[in-house]
Amino acid sequence: EMGYAAKPTTCRLFPFVVTDTPEGRFVGTSFYCSAIRQNHGPSCAGHREDIELLLAEGAPRNRVAADGLLVARGYYTNYVDYSRLEEALRSRASEVGWEEALAHLLLGLALGLSELPPVSSGYRPLPPAVLERVWNHLRVPTSSKVAALQELIRGQVVDYWKLQQDESSWVELEGALRGQELHLAHLGFRGNLEELLARPFEQEDDIERYLSHLVFRKALVVDPPLLASLCLLVQLPAFLRAHTRLLGDYFLALEKAEMELVTHGQSYRVVAEVAAEYLLGVVSPRG
């Protein structure tokens, strides 16, 4: 009744996601919007004037600082070094795809972090050499990096389901990781976990588009720590394949990912944070 102008600026800005960084402002989009999910409508550039007016009125934006970007376990980096890392990630993705490139970055970074002394109190700058070696760390496998992380990826998807069901079902859910039948009471599903995660998958190009856009939106550093954000993005393809098969619609699966994991609410980000700590323990030369 009061009209569009009466809405809060947050609502009027939707579906745009604005992130201010030391190198400039990045305007992306939320895949919670059905038009964005289906790649319909005009480009962001056509809305520039409207977005600038909303920002002048106080519309929310993400802010990435020039320094103090938490990586993991008390170590932090600066935006200049992160920007170089993202540039290298884009270059790698152009060769092997985003899913594989993100897995490579996660493995290389976790291996480098695991070799550093623990931070007993406060925070320490991450040695630049750790970021420089992520692509050629001697302990990174030469075969598929996604394959090397399958245990971590599958575990995150199952942990997400655990948080949606009664705790009494958790032992049974964990059994699915060992080949037992998967039972998702809240989705009315009984079957095989591997079949839900299997490839080939019809929407592989769409998943790559989504991963690319999340990196553009600075999803790796907007919500620190960086290692947990990497765990989240690395498991997203498996999450989307499984929920597309469970829900019967890729766009519904994408809506669920955007709403519950990535942007709006991030109800289950704790799964990625636990996964990051688990990975560091697994790859630690001391462990």
Side-chain angles (χ1 to χ4, degrees):
E1 292 179 358
M2 298 174 68
Y4 173 79
K7 290 184 177 182
T9 54
T10 300
C11 300
R12 288 154 59 198
L13 184 64
F14 183 83
F16 300 105
V17 179
V18 180
T19 303
D20 286 345
T21 77
E23 66 175 312
R25 175 170 292 162
F26 290 79
V27 179
T29 50
S30 166
F31 280 62
Y32 190 63
C33 170
S34 59
I36 300 301
R37 288 198 299 274
Q38 299 178 54
N39 204 20
H40 293 162
S43 67
C44 290
H47 294 275
R48 178 168 183 159
E49 183 177 343
D50 294 334
I51 294 170
E52 289 178 342
L53 287 173
L54 285 168
L55 292 174
E57 291 181 31
R61 70 194 77 177
N62 300 314
R63 289 181 172 86
V64 179
D67 203 359
L69 306 179
L70 189 61
V71 178
R73 288 189 171 176
Y75 284 97
Y76 67 89
T77 189
N78 58 70
Y79 188 81
V80 171
D81 285 346
Y82 167 75
S83 185
R84 294 195 189 102
L85 184 69
E86 185 182 299
E87 183 179 352
L89 171 64
R90 292 182 181 281
S91 177
R92 185 66 180 152
S94 69
E95 299 171 1
V96 300
W98 281 99
E99 184 176 5
E100 186 68 19
L102 285 162
H104 192 159
L105 175 54
L106 174 58
L107 266 174
L109 183 58
L111 287 166
L113 283 163
S114 73
E115 296 164 355
L116 296 176
V119 177
S120 56
S121 63
Y123 298 92
R124 292 185 190 175
L126 186 71
V130 173
L131 298 182
E132 293 167 1
R133 288 195 303 153
V134 294
W135 306 109
N136 55 11
H137 194 288
L138 294 178
R139 290 199 286 145
V140 171
T142 56
S143 56
S144 168
K145 315 309 183 282
V146 172
L149 288 169
Q150 275 307 295
E151 180 181 351
L152 184 80
I153 292 168
R154 292 159 72 247
Q156 285 185 87
V157 175
V158 169
D159 279 351
Y160 166 83
W161 288 325
K162 284 166 63 178
L163 294 179
Q164 292 194 319
Q165 297 195 172
D166 188 85
E167 191 171 346
S168 61
S169 69
W170 288 8
V171 172
E172 182 182 6
L173 284 172
E174 290 172 357
L177 296 170
R178 301 185 294 274
Q180 299 173 19
E181 183 182 57
L182 173 66
H183 179 207
L184 300 175
H186 66 294
L187 293 172
F189 174 83
R190 281 189 180 274
N192 185 276
L193 173 63
E194 303 309 321
E195 291 177 358
L196 288 179
L197 303 178
R199 301 175 72 171
F201 182 71
E202 185 177 351
Q203 286 85 13
E204 291 298 336
D205 289 344
D206 294 302
I207 291 177
E208 287 284 299
R209 170 181 171 245
Y210 186 44
L211 294 175
S212 172
H213 189 68
L214 289 178
V215 173
F216 169 80
R217 267 170 38 186
K218 307 302 174 189
L220 289 175
V221 285
V222 162
D223 295 299
L226 171 59
L227 195 71
S229 296
L230 276 168
C231 284
L232 173 59
L233 264 63
V234 165
Q235 71 91 36
L236 274 176
F239 179 96
L240 289 168
R241 293 180 192 113
H243 284 86
T244 297
R245 291 173 173 124
L246 288 166
L247 302 173
D249 188 322
Y250 171 75
F251 295 125
L252 288 178
L254 187 55
E255 177 183 319
K256 181 175 284 290
E258 185 78 18
M259 183 65 183
E260 298 180 356
L261 296 178
V262 181
T263 303
H264 303 278
Q266 297 185 310
S267 309
Y268 302 96
R269 184 179 168 84
V270 64
V271 170
E273 294 170 354
V274 171
E277 281 300 313
Y278 172 78
L279 178 60
L280 287 171
V282 168
V283 303
S284 171
R286 296 178 292 276

